[in-house]
Amino acid sequence: MRKRWLAGLLHALVVWSLTEAQIRYTIPEELSEGTVVGNIAKDLDLKLSEVSERNLRLASESGERYFGVDSAKGELVVRARLDRETLCGQSATCLLPLEAIVENPLQLYRVEIEIQDINDNSPAFQNNAKVLNIAESTAPGARFRLEAAQDPDVGSNSLRTYTLSKNEHFALDIITEKDGTKVPQLILEKSLDREKQPTLSLLLIALDGGKPAGTGTAEISVHILDINDNSPVFEKAQYDAQIPENIATGAVVVSVKALDKDEGANSEVLYSFAPHTTDLINSIFSIDSLTGDIKVNSKLDYETGSSFKFDVIAADKGVPPMEGLCSVHLEVLDINDNAPEIVLKSSPSPVREDAPVGTVVALISARDLDTGENGKVRLTLLPGVPFTLKPSIPNHYTLTTERTLDREAHSVYAVVVVASDSGSPPLSSQQEVLVSVVDVNDNPPVFTQPFYTVYVKENSAAGSILCSVSALDPDQGQNAKVLYSVLESRVLDSPLSSYVYINSENGSIFSMSSFDYEKMKVLKVQVQARDQGSPSLSSNTMVHVFIVDQNDNAPAVIYPSAALGSVSHQRMPRSAKAGHLVTKVTAVDADSGHNAWISYRLAEATDASLFGVSFHTGEVRTKRSVSEQDDSSQRLLIEIRDNGEPAQSSTVTVEVLIEDGFHEPVSESRQKSPELNKRSGRITLYLIVALASVSSLCLMTFFILLVKCARGSRGGSSCCIRRSDSGYKTPNRNLQIQLNTDGPIKYVEVLGGDVMSQSQSFGSYLSPMSEFSDFTLVKPSSTTDFTDTLNVLDASLPDSTWTFECQQVRESQHLDFV
Ligand SMILES: *[C@@H]1O[C@H](CO)[C@@H](O)[C@H](O)[C@H]1NC(C)=O
């Protein structure tokens, strides 16, 4: 601009004659368009009309751009914005030269316009957000040069000073350099601590000298750079944690945390166990160096380690690193993780079944690895066994018997011992203890039957098995081994052992001889079973061997006596009428029962029409009157048969001699006969009366009957008195008194069952009144008196209980003639 202006000036000087007149206008910058600078026409001494006539105009380029001439008024006016700072920069004065030209005559005038500065610019910082990094260790007094602010205004409007916002650490110093530039400087007055205040924000204000003063601000961020001046510090000096012993492997037990107030690497903390940490802790625990988590690596066991103490170091990454230390105290909590254990101090000893209550069977102890309540163990038994646990010294028990034992009921006990601790929840365990009961010979052998009854036929072969007895012994082994024996006694003057033999092992009884019913009706064998215990126990039983009668005896003829010869001779008068009793055949049969029932039959006769034989009584009577024609000698063959199966028989031959004029002795008998019949009838009546009331007055009736019988009356009924004990204990006390008769009482048979008088029978047979009497003395007896017999019996059985029975043994029989 100035060059152009100078070129224009030179041109004017060269082409135009220049007037000396110099006009200067002084205007402030930044005038608005149209502002009048001055009346140039007047100042050039031109008339107002001349302005247009002579074409007053501005010649210079710059003059034309910024100014113009108002031809009507002759005034110089501003045409464009005038910025002094643009036109003149930092020059202290700003002159804008103009050339004004008029024609006719052509004249050139120089006009100078001085543009004065106004404070139209404020100071400004090129970078109004400044970051300043200062290490926190910087000593006070240190200076930090800042950027100077710029103000294009000049003079008093230019930058004058700076101010700094209020702060603790920095002061402001303004240095004026040689060229006059004013430079602000920060002076550290108080040392910085990043850890307290990592950044500072300062406001630097630049002020110019204008009125009012323009300002420019810059924000200064002071970043305090960290120095590793802080060691890591743990949140706690000691970490306490309680961990259950069953904590899972890998679980975090405790987390330690250390903080470092420094920054960056200086605050980055790495955790580790202190160097002096034991190998055990190193093996059980590990620490995460970054997070500080302490984990368990292996299973914990309260029982081997209940607490752990170690130190943890936190080191930062600064150079040199700084360290902090804390201690960790871990307490392991007991968990009820150990079941109680049952320990048998000795294997249980077998206990005798007769052991007294309280006998010690076994010693049992209990243990639990846990502590406290978890380790408190109580032992109990499952119920149902005759044992009890008695505590002795702590945690020790004795297993003792609580009741008496019986091996036969229970030979071995499975005693279940239960141990439970007091933990929550409690743990328990159990163990079975087998206690065997040792047998004691406390049971005698017991026969399977209270007594044995055997029927054996007489005459059967010796050596045959009679019966087998058997006794059981619930004991064990030798105590249960039973041997059988026969208790010796004498039977019919021979030792019992000559009759029977017993197999001692299996109790089979064999006969040693054949038996004869006629000699012995029952054989009583007392058998003993004895176990082999020590001492041994035994029990007895009775075997009744009843000998069963066989028809092994033929009837024996007693009268007429066959011994005199094979033929018996009888005499009778020829005058005999029908029904004359010739003789009476009497026979006995040694057998009993049916085998002894005897019947008579006329087998052969010289004249069968003359004689008849009573089937039951054996009386031989005439069937008709004897006539003169009848042979004087008559032979009769009479057969006597028993009722056995097969029947046995014998015969007797009777020779009857019929005599003329034979004195008949029968009259007595005939006279007697009605009397006898009368008596007999009376007794029968008594009997009927007696039997009618037998159910209630049996005893009385019996004695009445007995008295009547004893008075010599021979009745036609039979009476029986039987005495028996109801118990088994004295089976031998079995007495039978039999008034046995066919019709009239023939004999009294007393069957005694005493051991000593085994098979003895008392017989009292009533002697026949005469040869014609109904009664025959069968066998001579010690006593003929019936009452005497009874007295003897009664005396021999003093403690006996008598029951009396009266009955008609056989249906009353009548004499019947065949
Ligand atoms: C007992 O033993 C004898 C001889 O060995 C034998 O004959 C008999 O049959 C046995 N008895 C039993 C009941 O086994």
Side-chain angles (χ1 to χ4, degrees):
M1 182 80 57
R2 184 176 277 196
K3 273 182 186 167
R4 243 197 276 165
W5 179 77
L6 278 172
L9 181 65
L10 279 173
H11 174 75
L13 282 173
V14 173
V15 179
W16 313 96
S17 61
L18 298 172
T19 61
E20 297 302 314
Q22 183 92 8
I23 302 166
R24 177 184 284 212
Y25 296 107
T26 298
I27 58 169
E29 59 177 331
E30 306 285 350
L31 285 176
S32 55
E33 236 174 272
T35 306
V36 176
V37 178
N39 197 329
I40 189 167
K42 190 183 167 188
D43 290 338
L44 289 178
D45 283 331
L46 294 172
K47 291 181 183 110
L48 199 59
S49 58
E50 278 176 314
V51 173
S52 53
E53 284 169 14
R54 294 183 69 186
N55 191 21
L56 175 66
R57 65 187 192 264
L58 294 178
S60 65
E61 209 182 309
S62 60
E64 276 174 290
R65 186 180 162 194
Y66 292 108
F67 300 100
V69 176
D70 184 348
S71 52
K73 290 182 184 172
E75 287 172 340
L76 185 66
V77 292
V78 177
R79 279 221 179 126
R81 179 185 161 239
L82 287 163
D83 182 20
R84 192 204 67 85
E85 283 77 25
T86 311
L87 293 171
C88 303
Q90 288 294 306
S91 302
T93 56
C94 184
L95 288 174
L96 199 64
L98 294 177
E99 288 169 17
I101 297 170
V102 287
E103 293 169 4
N104 300 323
L106 185 68
Q107 284 182 286
L108 183 74
Y109 300 96
R110 289 161 83 202
V111 179
E112 271 183 345
I113 296 176
E114 186 188 1
I115 298 168
Q116 286 184 320
D117 185 41
I118 63 167
N119 195 16
D120 60 346
N121 286 293
S122 293
F125 293 94
Q126 219 160 24
N127 183 1
N128 59 5
K130 164 81 177 165
V131 174
L132 197 59
N133 291 319
I134 304 172
E136 61 175 321
S137 60
T138 306
R143 287 171 172 265
F144 303 93
R145 189 190 154 108
L146 302 175
E147 182 199 348
Q150 304 294 323
D151 192 332
D153 292 330
V154 291
S156 63
N157 289 334
S158 67
L159 181 80
R160 194 169 62 90
T161 187
Y162 297 95
T163 61
L164 186 65
S165 60
K166 196 168 155 41
N167 74 94
E168 276 184 66
H169 295 277
F170 292 98
L172 186 68
D173 185 26
I174 301 164
I175 291 165
T176 308
E177 296 196 322
K178 281 178 192 152
D179 63 350
T181 311
K182 289 178 170 139
V183 178
Q185 274 191 348
L186 291 179
I187 301 169
L188 185 65
E189 287 196 315
K190 186 182 165 195
S191 58
L192 297 166
D193 186 356
R194 191 202 63 79
E195 285 72 37
K196 267 189 191 156
Q197 196 173 14
T199 59
L200 287 172
S201 196
L202 302 174
L203 209 60
L204 181 65
I205 303 169
L207 295 162
D208 63 20
K211 277 189 194 262
T215 59
T217 52
E219 204 177 312
I220 298 165
S221 297
V222 179
H223 286 192
I224 301 157
L225 298 183
D226 184 53
I227 290 292
N228 194 19
D229 57 350
N230 286 287
S231 49
V233 174
F234 281 97
E235 288 172 335
K236 296 183 200 170
Q238 177 172 325
Y239 288 83
D240 290 301
Q242 293 185 323
I243 46 177
E245 62 173 323
N246 63 350
I247 191 167
T249 308
V252 175
V253 172
V254 66
S255 249
V256 296
K257 190 164 175 64
L259 292 177
D260 192 315
K261 288 183 183 162
D262 293 326
E263 200 180 33
N266 292 340
S267 70
E268 280 172 27
V269 173
L270 289 180
Y271 301 95
S272 63
F273 290 137
H276 56 262
T277 307
T278 62
D279 289 346
L280 174 73
I281 284 168
N282 273 313
S283 70
I284 296 176
F285 299 101
S286 65
I287 188 164
D288 186 312
S289 62
L290 295 178
T291 62
D293 289 345
I294 298 173
K295 295 175 178 176
V296 277
N297 286 339
S298 59
K299 276 233 149 297
L300 290 180
D301 187 1
Y302 175 86
E303 287 67 39
T304 56
S306 60
S307 74
F308 300 98
K309 210 170 178 180
F310 49 88
D311 293 336
V312 172
I313 283 177
D316 64 28
K317 291 179 181 171
V319 179
M322 298 197 76
E323 287 182 350
L325 187 140
C326 73
S327 71
V328 176
H329 196 166
L330 297 178
E331 198 180 323
V332 180
L333 295 179
D334 185 36
I335 293 289
N336 194 14
D337 57 349
N338 289 289
E341 217 180 312
I342 298 163
V343 184
L344 275 181
K345 289 290 175 189
S346 62
S347 53
S349 46
V351 54
R352 282 171 62 92
E353 59 177 320
D354 61 353
V357 170
T359 302
V360 175
V361 177
L363 277 176
I364 300 170
S365 73
R367 64 167 174 239
D368 193 311
L369 293 176
D370 295 320
T371 53
E373 289 295 303
N374 294 339
K376 220 181 246 175
V377 186
R378 211 168 66 86
L379 286 187
T380 50
L381 293 181
L382 287 192
V385 290
F387 298 99
T388 187
L389 277 176
K390 283 196 182 129
S392 55
I393 54 172
N395 277 341
H396 283 71
Y397 294 81
T398 54
L399 181 67
T400 59
T401 57
E402 194 182 31
R403 301 193 290 271
T404 51
L405 305 175
D406 184 8
R407 190 205 63 82
E408 285 70 40
H410 230 114
S411 62
V412 65
Y413 288 94
V415 181
V416 179
V417 183
V418 180
S420 45
D421 61 28
S422 309
S424 165
L427 291 176
S428 68
S429 61
Q430 59 183 47
Q431 189 172 341
E432 193 179 78
V433 178
L434 287 180
V435 180
S436 51
V437 182
V438 176
D439 186 48
V440 168
N441 193 20
D442 54 355
N443 288 287
V446 174
F447 280 98
T448 52
Q449 289 174 226
F451 59 90
Y452 293 81
T453 306
V454 186
Y455 296 91
V456 61
K457 287 181 180 174
E458 61 175 332
N459 305 324
S460 49
S464 60
I465 191 160
L466 296 179
C467 79
S468 280
V469 297
S470 153
L472 299 177
D473 192 318
D475 290 324
Q476 205 181 25
Q478 285 299 104
N479 294 340
K481 174 145 180 61
V482 178
L483 291 183
Y484 302 92
S485 61
V486 167
L487 293 184
E488 197 53 88
S489 64
R490 292 190 75 78
V491 178
L492 298 181
D493 288 338
S494 306
L496 182 59
S497 56
S498 66
Y499 294 93
V500 290
Y501 155 79
I502 191 163
N503 182 314
S504 65
E505 296 289 331
N506 66 15
S508 286
I509 302 173
F510 300 88
S511 62
M512 295 283 282
S513 62
S514 68
F515 301 104
D516 185 357
Y517 174 82
E518 286 68 40
K519 281 191 189 142
M520 180 167 58
K521 305 218 171 351
V522 63
L523 179 64
K524 297 190 175 181
V525 183
Q526 200 171 21
V527 178
Q528 184 172 72
R530 178 172 289 280
D531 64 30
Q532 300 302 295
S534 168
S536 69
L537 296 172
S538 67
S539 61
N540 297 346
T541 190
M542 183 63 82
V543 179
H544 300 264
V545 180
F546 288 101
I547 294 141
V548 179
D549 182 47
Q550 298 293 298
N551 193 20
D552 58 346
N553 289 288
V557 179
I558 294 165
Y559 185 87
S561 174
L564 301 172
S566 57
V567 179
S568 157
H569 296 276
Q570 299 290 335
R571 293 184 303 156
M572 65 172 281
R574 192 169 287 274
S575 60
K577 303 283 181 295
H580 177 82
L581 179 66
V582 181
T583 185
K584 179 176 159 57
V585 179
T586 303
V588 292
D589 195 308
D591 296 320
S592 65
H594 282 249
N595 294 335
W597 290 8
I598 294 168
S599 61
Y600 305 86
R601 188 173 72 89
L602 187 61
E604 282 172 28
T606 313
D607 183 351
S609 67
L610 186 57
F611 298 102
V613 177
S614 165
F615 185 75
H616 291 291
T617 62
E619 285 173 333
V620 180
R621 290 180 189 267
T622 52
K623 287 160 105 181
R624 58 174 171 80
S625 307
V626 184
S627 68
E628 294 301 321
Q629 287 78 40
D630 289 322
D631 264 348
S632 59
S633 172
Q634 298 277 342
R635 180 180 278 259
L636 306 175
L637 182 66
I638 298 165
E639 188 191 38
I640 304 116
R641 267 178 97 85
D642 64 22
N643 200 28
E645 191 64 48
Q648 300 234 34
S649 66
S650 51
T651 54
V652 66
T653 307
V654 178
E655 191 80 47
V656 181
L657 192 65
I658 302 173
E659 294 176 342
D660 297 316
F662 173 69
H663 175 71
E664 205 167 354
V666 186
S667 58
E668 281 172 54
S669 164
R670 283 224 173 130
Q671 284 168 350
K672 218 178 189 176
S673 191
E675 196 185 315
L676 188 75
N677 284 344
K678 221 168 81 188
R679 277 193 194 172
S680 176
R682 216 165 66 215
I683 288 168
T684 306
L685 183 68
Y686 286 147
L687 268 174
I688 289 164
V689 172
L691 286 170
S693 56
V694 72
S695 56
S696 59
L697 296 162
C698 190
L699 177 64
M700 297 278 285
T701 310
F702 174 75
F703 275 110
I704 294 165
L705 176 64
L706 208 59
V707 167
K708 286 294 170 192
C709 287
R711 272 181 187 164
S713 309
R714 285 84 187 168
S717 289
S718 91
C719 263
C720 142
I721 173 172
R722 177 170 289 143
R723 177 210 164 258
S724 64
D725 266 33
S726 51
Y728 157 68
K729 283 177 183 175
T730 54
N732 46 354
R733 293 300 183 95
N734 189 348
L735 191 72
Q736 232 178 46
I737 300 167
Q738 213 169 7
L739 304 180
N740 192 1
T741 176
D742 294 342
I745 293 171
K746 193 156 62 177
Y747 64 89
V748 174
E749 193 177 25
V750 180
L751 299 173
D754 221 355
V755 182
M756 299 312 293
S757 59
Q758 200 171 35
S759 292
Q760 282 179 356
S761 55
F762 300 86
S764 178
Y765 300 90
L766 304 175
S767 49
M769 296 298 291
S770 73
E771 168 176 39
F772 308 105
S773 159
D774 283 350
F775 304 94
T776 309
L777 176 62
V778 176
K779 191 174 166 188
S781 174
S782 55
T783 321
T784 50
D785 195 340
F786 197 78
T787 47
D788 286 355
T789 306
L790 286 172
N791 288 338
V792 167
L793 281 173
D794 208 18
S796 69
L797 303 162
D799 61 334
S800 50
T801 312
W802 290 81
T803 57
F804 297 94
E805 217 178 295
C806 278
Q807 67 176 66
Q808 212 135 0
V809 175
R810 291 184 197 166
E811 62 270 30
S812 47
Q813 298 186 346
H814 307 284
L815 300 176
D816 43 355
F817 300 92
V818 183

